Amino acid sequence: MRRILFYVHFNKYNQLSEHVVFQLNEMKPIFEKIVLVSNSLLSQEDLARLPHDIFIQRENSGFDFAAWADGIETIGMAELAQYDSATFMNDTCFGPLYDMMPYYENYEEEAIDFWGITNHRKTKEVAEHIQSYFVVYHQKILQSKTFQSFWENVEVLDDVQEVIEYYETSLTSELIKVGYHYKTILETLDRSTSGMLHPDFSYWNPSVIVQEKVPFLKIKAVQAFKDMTPLVLNELSRQSNYPIKQIYSHMSRYVERPDEKYLLANSYLDLTEVAAQFEQPIAIHLHAFYTDLLPDFFEQFITYKFHFDLFITTDVFEKKAEIEQQLSEFKLKAQVFVTGNVGRDVLPMLKLKDKLANYEIIGHFHTKKSKEADFLVGESWRKDLIEMLVKPANQIVSQFLNQKLGLVIADIPTFFRYNEIVNAANEAKIAPHMNDLWQRMEMNKAIDFTQMATFVMSYGTFGWFRYDALHQLFDLNLTEADIPKEPLPQNSILHAIERALIYISWNNFYDFKISQNQTILTPFIDVKTMNHSQNGPINWDALGGKRALKYLIKKSLIKTRIIR
């Protein structure tokens, strides 16, 4: 059978999603010829990854129908009529979830005139029609005056609803009117719509798509039913060989913010997957304000199997000799810089831009303490972060062989699972600073942090990252004048940076992963923590350090004495 595919691609960021590469390569064996039409700019490197016989680069106008019409015009009606079937398809779905060849063979044997994936019943707004994201027309239709006249008269329309009315629905209606018959893989005309807000099963009922093993899942359906998505994708992974990770990756990079709940459900880094070691040198930056804590880090550094260059910053020259002495004891080499006591651990790291920019992967840590309650906050926090990010460095760094990975942060430290230190009221004070930071970095993706109740953050700014994933942060060239004086307010630019890292990486089309906290706590603890205060959220800014500690003691959260 001679089959031709007209495939329309569009990505608003002029990027190429892996699900498109997979889709076209899976469909390729079915067709004699593939006409690829892109409504967004494709690089030559990306184009080389896509199977095609004819490529048309065009402006994003007229949506899919104008693009398909351009494809037909390029082929010519006379040549098109020689094919046994023509498939019209776009990249708005994930799939194929199952082998498509049996569908083609079955419908060809049945001698059906045209067929698709899903249809849409008649409503007040639209006529009955095959939904246009995937439709196959057999030769009888390709040679018909109705089909040819339709495509010759397609105009560039700017309103998507007009495209649906004048093209998507009318083509099906015109073909039915002249006696042609169609079928769909999922027949929806008589299917119950109980519980649905709209009778569009491709969009409004992804669970039926999975249950009925429909070979394509609409991207918009994944986006619309966020709370259902993990269940849908888990079920899909049990019955299909489709690479589910492509769904999470596409949604995170191009559709959603990276902190949607269903995306976080897939965010843990699998530390059992130890890839080949990273061959290029890694940079490690350690800010050493508390030099007595250096052994906690040096004991781990000497176990690393990858090559790294160590950069240590501290606040005063008196500590430099002590740092060098401890380096000697552990037989470690490092460049030590005195950067002053402004900007905590963040500004010292940014001051090393000229050094760190030479490395692809960087680890950033600091000697964390909490003066008011180090036994409770600082030590617990620091130990958790070391367990999650410093100890498993060999496994973490190896994962950066995946060029799409931009950032690895720690899970929420145990202390914060028991105590609602970070809450929406406090985060709301930091959000404007995050917006200001975003504008100063001149980011491409739109985001309004003031509309978000909380953020997925790199606690303590600990983490491993690809320099390119966070390069805008370094390019700001922040100075001491940008940082408030100590004692630092709870809504400073440093707090904004701490919370902005995964979003900066997302802006640059990188994935982020979380290194899991090994302390297993039931989620019931989180529920009780979130709802523990009957008097509303605690205002930690008003309480201050010592008063906050006394508050915790008073609430029996700490059963110990204050040592004065």
Side-chain angles (χ1 to χ4, degrees):
M1 299 294 288
R2 298 189 65 205
R3 308 183 187 97
I4 186 172
L5 169 64
F6 294 91
Y7 186 95
V8 175
H9 162 264
F10 173 70
N11 182 293
K12 65 180 180 180
Y13 299 112
N14 294 317
Q15 298 280 321
L16 178 61
S17 174
E18 290 301 315
H19 92 277
V20 175
V21 179
F22 176 88
Q23 197 163 80
L24 276 173
N25 278 290
E26 286 293 301
M27 299 294 291
K28 177 183 177 180
I30 298 174
F31 303 103
E32 177 182 307
K33 182 173 288 186
I34 296 176
V35 180
L36 172 62
V37 187
S38 182
N39 284 349
S40 56
L41 186 63
L42 273 178
S43 69
Q44 289 300 311
E45 181 182 0
D46 285 339
L47 181 59
R49 302 180 64 202
L50 299 174
H52 64 280
D53 299 286
I54 296 175
F55 174 64
I56 301 171
Q57 179 73 69
R58 64 189 302 277
E59 293 182 357
N60 182 31
S61 59
F63 300 96
D64 295 341
F65 276 85
W68 282 320
D70 284 352
I72 292 175
E73 183 179 7
T74 300
I75 291 294
M77 281 294 183
E79 181 180 343
L80 179 59
Q82 302 304 309
Y83 283 89
D84 294 300
S85 72
T87 299
F88 292 79
M89 182 180 175
N90 62 35
D91 63 357
T92 61
C93 297
F94 297 115
L97 308 176
Y98 311 98
D99 184 8
M100 289 299 296
M101 183 63 83
Y103 293 108
Y104 278 84
E105 293 173 341
N106 290 340
Y107 286 122
E108 288 163 356
E109 183 178 350
E110 191 176 347
I112 195 73
D113 298 320
F114 63 117
W115 61 276
I117 306 299
T118 54
N119 54 0
H120 194 297
R121 69 186 62 189
K122 181 179 180 180
T123 68
K124 292 180 180 180
E125 292 79 22
V126 298
E128 173 193 338
H129 64 280
I130 293 184
Q131 293 179 292
S132 62
Y133 61 87
F134 189 106
V135 187
V136 181
Y137 301 97
H138 288 170
Q139 189 177 64
K140 186 189 300 185
I141 290 182
L142 300 181
Q143 295 175 346
S144 71
K145 291 182 179 180
T146 301
F147 180 85
Q148 294 179 5
S149 175
F150 174 88
W151 287 106
E152 287 169 352
N153 289 283
V154 167
E155 298 179 356
V156 175
L157 300 178
D158 296 327
D159 188 322
V160 67
Q161 293 304 318
E162 289 184 350
V163 172
I164 293 172
E165 179 181 355
Y166 296 135
Y167 298 144
E168 180 172 5
T169 62
S170 66
L171 180 54
T172 300
S173 298
E174 290 180 25
L175 292 173
I176 292 175
K177 188 183 300 182
V178 295
Y180 293 112
H181 301 280
Y182 81 86
K183 285 191 175 181
T184 53
I185 292 174
L186 180 67
E187 175 58 59
T188 70
L189 300 185
D190 298 321
R191 185 177 288 271
S192 172
T193 58
S194 176
M196 294 176 58
L197 296 177
H198 193 277
D200 178 354
F201 282 82
S202 70
Y203 180 28
W204 291 96
N205 207 326
S207 61
V208 168
I209 299 297
V210 174
Q211 289 167 2
E212 298 295 333
K213 296 189 176 180
V214 178
F216 289 93
L217 175 65
K218 291 285 286 184
I219 293 173
K220 286 186 177 179
V222 175
Q223 183 182 18
F225 294 89
K226 295 180 175 65
D227 292 339
M228 186 190 298
T229 291
L231 304 178
V232 169
L233 297 186
N234 287 341
E235 180 60 31
L236 189 59
S237 67
R238 285 191 284 269
Q239 62 189 40
S240 168
N241 293 323
Y242 186 81
I244 303 297
K245 288 183 178 180
Q246 288 186 358
I247 297 179
Y248 287 107
S249 180
H250 177 83
M251 300 305 292
S252 177
R253 288 182 202 153
Y254 307 120
V255 182
E256 306 274 27
R257 295 196 316 260
D259 59 358
E260 291 289 350
K261 288 186 291 184
Y262 77 90
L263 294 174
L264 292 175
N266 188 56
S267 63
Y268 276 141
L269 191 70
D270 186 356
L271 295 181
T272 63
E273 295 181 4
V274 181
Q277 284 299 333
F278 211 86
E279 294 183 359
Q280 298 177 358
I282 306 297
I284 296 178
H285 170 243
L286 175 64
H287 184 64
F289 186 85
Y290 300 105
T291 56
D292 58 305
L293 296 179
L294 287 173
D296 289 1
F297 295 88
F298 290 175
E299 288 171 357
Q300 303 306 320
F301 292 170
I302 61 176
T303 68
Y304 293 171
K305 296 179 181 179
F306 55 86
H307 175 64
F308 66 92
D309 293 329
L310 180 58
F311 300 89
I312 299 178
T313 53
T314 191
D315 57 320
V316 293
F317 282 97
E318 288 78 5
K319 295 178 183 178
K320 184 175 181 180
E322 184 179 351
I323 293 170
E324 291 173 341
Q325 175 61 35
Q326 294 199 49
L327 284 167
S328 177
E329 292 174 3
F330 281 89
K331 299 181 180 179
L332 283 169
K333 295 182 179 180
Q335 296 183 52
V336 183
F337 302 87
V338 177
T339 53
N341 189 26
V342 177
R344 299 198 174 178
D345 60 293
V346 176
L347 188 59
M349 177 185 71
L350 299 180
K351 285 183 175 180
L352 297 183
K353 172 184 175 180
D354 291 342
K355 302 286 186 181
L356 300 182
N358 296 316
Y359 296 85
E360 185 175 357
I361 309 299
I362 299 163
H364 168 69
F365 316 105
H366 62 95
T367 54
K368 168 68 181 175
K369 279 189 179 182
S370 179
K371 291 183 177 181
E372 300 296 344
D374 192 51
F375 66 95
L376 173 70
V377 183
E379 184 175 345
S380 170
W381 190 350
R382 180 179 68 254
K383 286 183 176 179
D384 274 359
L385 294 177
I386 289 175
E387 288 288 335
M388 288 185 273
L389 291 173
V390 182
K391 283 189 177 181
N394 289 316
Q395 298 98 310
I396 292 174
V397 168
S398 72
Q399 301 305 310
F400 280 95
L401 290 170
N402 172 10
Q403 294 298 311
K404 298 296 184 181
L405 180 61
L407 173 68
V408 176
I409 66 172
D411 209 348
I412 297 179
T414 306
F415 170 76
F416 291 93
R417 299 280 300 277
Y418 286 106
N419 300 278
E420 191 188 11
I421 302 296
V422 177
N423 58 54
N426 290 333
E427 300 299 88
K429 299 175 183 177
I430 301 173
H433 295 277
M434 298 174 70
N435 278 350
D436 179 63
L437 184 68
W438 200 257
Q439 292 176 3
R440 290 179 63 181
M441 291 187 291
E442 299 181 345
M443 295 305 206
N444 296 320
K445 290 186 178 180
I447 189 170
D448 184 357
F449 294 105
T450 64
Q451 300 302 307
M452 301 163 61
T454 187
F455 312 105
V456 176
M457 72 166 120
S458 172
Y459 280 79
T461 60
F462 276 48
W464 295 91
F465 61 92
R466 198 178 298 274
Y467 185 88
D468 284 347
L470 301 182
H471 73 89
Q472 292 96 334
L473 189 58
F474 288 87
D475 293 342
L476 277 176
N477 296 315
L478 294 177
T479 67
E480 295 181 0
D482 295 296
I483 312 298
K485 295 181 180 179
E486 298 285 350
L488 203 65
Q490 292 300 308
N491 58 345
S492 71
I493 189 174
L494 299 183
H495 293 89
I497 290 172
E498 180 182 32
R499 286 154 176 78
L501 296 186
I502 76 158
Y503 307 98
I504 299 172
S505 178
W506 162 73
N507 179 81
N508 295 321
F509 303 104
Y510 285 104
D511 297 331
F512 88 97
K513 289 293 182 180
I514 299 171
S515 182
Q516 188 172 7
N517 192 333
Q518 298 304 303
T519 301
I520 299 175
L521 299 175
T522 170
F524 285 115
I525 294 174
D526 301 305
V527 175
K528 292 188 71 66
T529 299
M530 287 187 295
N531 295 282
H532 79 282
S533 176
Q534 296 181 356
N535 298 320
I538 303 168
N539 188 336
W540 295 99
D541 285 346
L543 286 174
K546 290 183 179 180
R547 292 181 62 196
L549 183 58
K550 291 179 180 179
Y551 176 89
L552 292 174
I553 295 172
K554 183 177 180 181
K555 291 294 184 180
S556 298
L557 296 175
I558 304 173
K559 298 182 182 297
T560 186
R561 293 177 58 201
I562 299 178
I563 300 176
R564 299 184 183 275

